[in-house]
Amino acid sequence: MRTLKAEMLEAFLQENPLIVDVRPEAEYARGSLEGAVHLPVKAIQHGDHDLPKDRPLLLVCERGAMSELAGLYLEAAGYAQVYNLEGGLRALKKT
C-alpha cells in the first residue's frame, strides 16, 4: 500500500482511481470526495465487495487510520494498486 499526501491528490486523480470511502454510513452521509463509492471497512475485511484489481484504489476515511486498515485487508486479498490518503479527509480540508 502506498500513502498519498493530500497535496498530491489533484495530480493523482489524473490516474482515474476508484475512490473508496470506508467510513461508517453516518459519516459518509455527511459528505465525501466527489465520485467516491461507499464501502465500510467491515465489508472489505470480510471480502463483501467487487472492487476492481485493474485500477488504482484510493481509500479515504476521516483521519487515515480506517482506510489504512482497509488497505491492509485489500493487499492481503491480492490487490496491488492500493493507496491511502494520509491524514484522511481532515488533512485534505487543511490544504
Side-chain angles (χ1 to χ4, degrees), residues 40-49 73:
V41 69
K42 273 189 173 182
I44 293 173
Q45 177 183 8
H46 296 294
D48 297 335
H49 60 81
Y73 290 133

Side-chain angles (χ1 to χ4, degrees), residues 50-79:
D50 58 352
L51 294 172
K53 289 188 174 182
D54 62 348
R55 75 187 268 205
L57 301 176
L58 175 59
L59 307 177
V60 299
C61 68
E62 193 64 27
R63 295 185 180 139
M66 281 193 297
S67 52
E68 183 176 9
L69 179 61
L72 294 173
Y73 290 133
L74 289 171
E75 282 188 323
Y79 286 79

